[in-house]
Amino acid sequence: MHELLQRDLLDLPALLAAARATALTSLTGLDERPAAVRPQAPEAALLRSAEPGAAAALRLFEQRWLPRLAGSAGPRYLGFVTGGATPASLVGDWLTAALDQNPTAGWDSEAPELERQTVRELAGWFGLGAAHQGAFVSGATMSNFVGLALAREWLGEQRGVRVSEVGVSALGPVTVLSGAAHSSIHKALSMLGLGRQALQPVATLAGRDAVDPRALELALQAQQGRPVIVVANAGTVNSGDFDELRAIAALRERYPFWLHVDAAFGAFAALDARVADRVAGLDAADSVCVDCHKWLNVPYDSALQFTRHRALQLRVFQNAAAYLGEPDEKAGGADFVHLTPENSRRWRALPAWFAVQAYGRAGHAEIVARNIDGARRLGELIAQQPGLELLAPVRLNIVCFALRGCTDAASVQARLERLRDSGEAFLTPTLFQGRWAVRAAFSNWRTRMDDVTRIFEALKGIS
């Protein structure tokens, strides 16, 4: 063994104690840390410590990199739909790294069974029945990719070809219909060889991000019976809007289509009785995307993909290697190596398992409700502020608003950089209904109402 590795192995208790102290210092001051920082000019080469070994690397990290990181796990970072890491999920994540399990197959441990149990528990939270089975993936982008990969295989089945065997060229032209698809849908279509141009935007309801059900039906009629893919949204990125899932699912009585629902954060509406009806009908989907490092508040990277078509999933992602075993097509029996794009994979289920065990549905429902209350309050304050204009009702956890006098991307960006540099809050720009705007996304477990007041005061300062 290399002498440095040997030394660090012997010093491991002290190294872990030092890392613990660094983490605690950072987390203890998180509420008052700048929400984001201005990136500095990049250096020409990797800065190296004068000394070798893990302890010196930790000191260099504390000096050079830690002060330049965003407080993205904190309560005033609203730039993306970004959760933090609850205490339980952080414990689970540390143990994930320490135990270093590869839950790809069930030959060597029961790590995959913990994942199956956690997936089943969370499916129940979102109102998904026993027909839906799932797995952990790296994020919403990969979850959407998996769902659309299954949709692609289903389309091939309707046309008498196995895309997973003969390739996408045998499929012919593909149509994907959606009202306000997330950018990750475009990326997934590109990666799957279907092409971004396969996506045909469908008109949304006036002033909203939700698809117009009548316009969707007309688009389906225009296909003249050809099977297509429909991507529905449960929580749009700009305004937190929802498609009417039950109405969309009912259209399958007359038109053939695969229904994929992007519910990356919107699925968690099921935990708040005030808004739970917005995800009614989610169980009717053929595939569903849910992101855990958003509202479940587990560390990056973690998401769920669900489908009621496990046989198609095995067909697409089965791995042909004797040492990995054959896929078992019995429900629930397949190893994860045959279910997702990855072979080796991080034990992402463990932080989620800790979160579920520690706080349960009720504890996470409180986070969801508190975030919704915070978003509503910020919306009320913005609506009363002369320099700000609320552009959409606060339907869930997203506040979409304009800065008066800022009519282009550059002017909005400049104001938001001032906000960032103040350290008080971090928000990101967007384009909503043809107007450059700002969105504030509430999903962090730490955010309280006094943070909302503080964020609003900072917004007043740049309006």
Side-chain angles (χ1 to χ4, degrees):
M1 182 182 291
H2 192 283
E3 61 179 351
L4 289 175
L5 288 170
Q6 182 66 38
R7 188 186 73 187
D8 282 351
L9 178 60
L10 294 174
D11 290 344
L12 188 58
L15 288 171
L16 292 180
R20 173 183 178 274
T22 299
L24 282 175
T25 299
S26 179
L27 291 173
T28 301
L30 189 57
D31 288 355
E32 293 306 318
R33 235 180 109 173
V37 296
R38 176 183 289 272
Q40 299 185 19
E43 289 146 347
L46 177 71
L47 181 64
R48 300 191 65 86
S49 171
E51 302 175 55
L58 178 59
R59 288 193 295 272
L60 177 61
F61 173 76
E62 291 172 340
Q63 295 164 9
R64 166 61 179 86
W65 294 106
L66 189 57
R68 303 188 189 187
L69 299 181
S72 53
R76 292 171 284 107
Y77 188 96
L78 309 183
F80 309 99
V81 189
T82 302
T86 55
S89 70
L90 178 59
V91 169
D93 198 64
W94 280 10
L95 287 174
T96 298
L99 299 173
D100 200 24
Q101 300 292 292
N102 180 13
T104 191
W107 290 18
D108 59 341
S109 82
E110 292 194 12
E113 181 57 24
L114 179 143
E115 178 165 344
R116 293 188 187 99
Q117 291 184 16
T118 306
V119 168
R120 285 196 295 267
E121 174 70 18
L122 289 169
W125 288 16
F126 308 132
L128 298 175
H132 274 279
Q133 296 173 279
F136 278 87
V137 291
S138 59
T141 297
M142 190 52 65
S143 180
N144 282 326
F145 174 87
V146 171
L148 292 174
L150 306 187
R152 184 184 66 177
E153 189 72 6
W154 175 85
L155 279 179
E157 195 172 63
Q158 309 312 299
R159 300 178 185 183
V161 299
R162 283 201 173 194
V163 177
S164 55
E165 298 296 329
V166 300
V168 71
S169 60
L171 190 56
V174 171
T175 298
V176 181
L177 303 173
S178 186
H182 187 267
S183 61
S184 62
I185 299 297
H186 298 260
K187 180 184 284 191
L189 293 174
S190 173
M191 292 190 291
L192 289 165
L194 300 176
R196 292 182 172 90
Q197 292 183 7
L199 184 62
Q200 295 185 12
V202 181
T204 56
L205 296 169
R208 294 182 58 183
D209 280 340
V211 72
D212 183 336
R214 178 57 181 161
L216 178 59
E217 181 165 13
L218 290 174
L220 290 167
Q221 283 179 0
Q223 298 303 311
Q224 299 180 335
R226 291 187 296 271
V228 299
I229 301 169
V230 172
V231 176
N233 296 294
T236 58
V237 68
N238 280 337
S239 67
D241 211 342
F242 288 76
D243 292 344
E244 178 47 66
L245 300 180
R246 286 172 295 191
I248 294 173
L251 291 173
R252 286 190 298 190
E253 297 174 5
R254 301 186 294 280
Y255 310 99
F257 62 88
W258 176 282
L259 177 56
H260 175 75
V261 179
D262 183 351
F265 61 89
F268 287 88
L271 276 60
D272 188 335
R274 299 173 297 177
V275 293
D277 63 315
R278 297 177 191 181
V279 288
L282 185 63
D283 186 53
D286 294 294
S287 54
V288 178
C289 161
V290 179
D291 206 338
C292 295
H293 54 238
K294 290 182 169 55
W295 237 341
L296 192 64
N297 278 262
V298 301
Y300 282 99
D301 52 13
S302 180
L304 289 163
Q305 63 78 209
F306 294 99
T307 185
R308 54 174 62 250
H309 300 273
R310 177 53 63 87
L312 289 181
Q313 189 166 5
L314 286 166
R315 191 189 299 172
V316 173
F317 294 109
Q318 63 179 300
N319 201 85
Y323 72 95
L324 291 173
E326 294 296 320
D328 182 353
E329 296 202 17
K330 295 178 182 178
D335 288 328
F336 289 111
V337 68
H338 302 297
L339 296 175
T340 69
E342 300 164 304
N343 282 358
S344 297
R345 57 205 295 273
R346 195 170 193 269
W347 198 17
R348 298 183 183 95
L350 188 58
W353 181 90
F354 264 88
V356 167
Q357 290 292 328
Y359 312 120
R361 191 182 191 279
H364 288 90
E366 189 277 332
I367 297 172
V368 170
R370 177 157 40 87
N371 284 165
I372 291 174
D373 288 343
R376 290 177 175 179
R377 179 57 181 156
L378 182 60
E380 292 169 354
L381 293 170
I382 286 172
Q384 300 166 8
Q385 178 63 24
L388 305 171
E389 179 185 355
L390 190 65
L391 297 182
V394 179
R395 295 184 174 90
L396 192 66
N397 63 326
I398 307 290
V399 186
C400 184
F401 61 98
L403 302 170
R404 294 191 188 277
C406 295
T407 58
D408 56 31
S411 59
V412 172
Q413 185 69 31
R415 297 276 189 96
L416 291 180
E417 286 179 2
R418 284 172 50 196
L419 180 68
R420 176 201 63 196
D421 294 346
S422 75
E424 287 297 279
F426 180 71
L427 281 71
T428 49
T430 192
L431 190 65
F432 179 74
Q433 303 288 322
R435 293 185 63 180
W436 283 101
V438 179
R439 54 187 291 278
F442 286 75
S443 55
N444 189 286
W445 68 279
R446 290 175 176 264
T447 306
R448 298 184 172 95
M449 205 58 75
D450 57 343
D451 294 304
V452 175
T453 302
R454 187 168 170 179
I455 292 164
F456 176 65
E457 291 299 321
L459 286 171
K460 285 167 58 178
I462 65 162
S463 63

